[in-house]
Amino acid sequence: MTRVVRFHEYGPADVLRIDDIEVPAPAADEVQIAVRAIGLNRAEVMFRNGAYLQEAEFPSRLGYEAAGLVKTIGSDVSGFAEGDAVSVIPTLDMSRWSTYGEIINIPARYVVKHPAALSFEKAAASWMKYVTAWGALIDQAKVTAEDFVIVSAASSSVGIAAIQVARSVGATVIATTRTNAKAQALANAGAHHVIATADGDLVARVKEITGGKGARVVFDPIGGPAIAQFAEVMAMGGILLEYGALSPDEGSFPQFAVLGKSLTIKGYLYTEIVGNDEALARAKVFITEGLESGKLDPLVSRTFPFDQIQEATRFLESNEQVGKIVVTV
């Protein structure tokens, strides 16, 4: 029997239970992993609350990220061996291939041998955020050293990853956050410039930083009225990648800025990368090399033991931490 986290109904963190179940042998294309650390994501909170793209079938497991040691492999799997230190890239079905458990089975295409010097905690905090940031900034926006990149709501784990990814190719990063409370933390995380949107003039600051050119790339999870605000500070031919909808308000479409500057506004999901074999292969190479070189350095804010999964999830929901929450197994 193996301990796994499941929920038997939608609801708050209290519905999460640690159940003892039988975990089957891995399928032919799967790797079985003895988990050492689990990375928590807000997508899992939404799934547990019934507010995600995927519906749960009860009792449901959950989880996108983990790291551990290979326990055994399926008959069609090559490139992995018992004892390998590996981490998990988020799959396309978190209830089928869940990571909240002591033993998990994951398709081999979503399993990566991470650098030996990387701790299990940092490995479990890597792939959701770096795949999301890489896909938007490198694969789609083609960010280069010539670019100014605005990363909004930059204190999130994906925001920190975007700062590091953009810096790794030499771009100049402008991080935005609501107040100055996290300005120093964002500077420490690598942002060249930090703008507190509640305390400063976004338009004037971006104009000053970019020498009047504007930012070619905006990576934004807020949406709503923020889209028009960012369109105003973008460069000619710029692209805004919208990967969330944190704002509950609808915003007006910035038609004059879009037309006048030939802007692209695109909705973006990490599934565009993990669902595409070629893109996923490129992401693996970029991220693994970045982790090895230290250009990508996963930031873990706090760890909790496995038995405190409810407490860890409550902390994730109630705190705007800079970095990732990780559960150790």
Side-chain angles (χ1 to χ4, degrees):
M1 303 292 279
T2 298
R3 297 196 306 163
V4 303
V5 176
R6 299 195 299 184
F7 60 108
H8 296 249
E9 61 182 336
Y10 289 126
D14 297 31
V15 303
L16 295 175
R17 289 169 34 180
I18 297 178
D19 294 335
D20 291 315
I21 68 169
E22 290 284 352
V23 173
D29 65 340
E30 292 178 344
V31 175
Q32 186 169 91
I33 302 167
V35 174
R36 293 291 185 85
I38 301 164
L40 305 191
N41 294 282
R42 293 191 181 274
E44 293 137 19
V45 173
M46 295 172 66
F47 181 53
R48 191 202 69 222
N49 282 325
Y52 196 51
L53 301 171
Q54 179 181 2
E55 293 186 3
E57 295 183 9
F58 300 117
S60 179
R61 297 182 62 178
L62 74 168
Y64 271 140
E65 290 185 281
L69 298 172
V70 172
K71 186 173 171 52
T72 186
I73 61 174
S75 58
D76 293 341
V77 173
S78 61
F80 296 99
E82 182 179 343
D84 283 345
V86 295
S87 43
V88 176
I89 297 171
T91 70
L92 296 174
D93 187 339
M94 82 161 84
S95 65
R96 180 178 179 185
W97 295 299
S98 51
T99 60
Y100 285 23
E102 293 176 325
I103 302 293
I104 60 175
N105 293 326
I106 303 291
R109 77 186 296 269
Y110 301 108
V111 179
V112 181
K113 286 191 279 190
H114 58 250
L118 197 67
S119 70
F120 288 115
E121 290 80 8
K122 286 194 172 188
S126 296
W127 289 95
M128 171 64 90
K129 63 187 183 185
Y130 286 129
V131 167
T132 301
W134 177 88
L137 299 182
I138 306 302
D139 190 60
Q140 299 196 5
K142 313 297 184 188
V143 168
T144 72
E146 305 300 317
D147 289 322
F148 290 92
V149 178
I150 293 177
V151 178
S152 71
S155 62
S156 70
S157 62
V158 174
I160 298 298
I163 291 171
Q164 295 181 2
V165 167
R167 280 196 65 122
S168 75
V169 296
T172 300
V173 180
I174 304 169
T176 73
T177 183
R178 195 172 57 83
T179 71
N180 276 310
K182 298 175 185 172
Q184 188 57 54
L186 290 173
N188 294 343
H192 295 93
H193 307 275
V194 180
I195 301 174
T197 55
D199 303 328
D201 186 332
L202 177 68
V203 175
R205 287 286 289 125
V206 172
K207 184 176 181 180
E208 175 190 1
I209 292 166
T210 64
K213 292 195 312 181
R216 189 181 73 81
V217 180
V218 177
F219 186 49
D220 175 57
I222 302 170
I227 292 178
Q229 295 169 0
F230 288 126
E232 189 175 352
V233 302
M234 291 175 67
M236 285 291 298
I239 180 170
L240 186 155
L241 292 129
E242 191 64 39
Y243 72 99
L246 295 177
S247 173
D249 303 317
E250 291 189 7
S252 59
F253 180 71
Q255 61 187 29
F256 295 111
V258 170
L259 289 169
K261 293 191 276 189
S262 298
L263 302 180
T264 297
I265 298 177
K266 181 187 181 301
Y268 166 74
L269 295 172
Y270 86 97
T271 53
E272 296 177 48
I273 305 305
V274 298
N276 180 300
D277 287 341
E278 292 183 0
L280 182 58
R282 294 195 304 273
K284 289 177 181 178
V285 171
F286 183 98
I287 294 166
T288 301
E289 289 179 350
L291 293 170
E292 287 176 341
S293 69
K295 289 183 177 180
L296 304 183
D297 184 15
L299 178 59
V300 175
S301 296
R302 184 168 172 182
T303 61
F304 290 81
F306 185 69
D307 288 334
Q308 293 181 14
I309 186 64
Q310 291 185 358
E311 290 85 344
T313 302
R314 291 191 197 100
F315 186 85
L316 172 68
E317 294 180 79
S318 62
N319 289 270
E320 295 183 1
Q321 67 284 334
V322 178
K324 193 90 161 185
I325 305 304
V326 172
V327 169
T328 56
V329 181

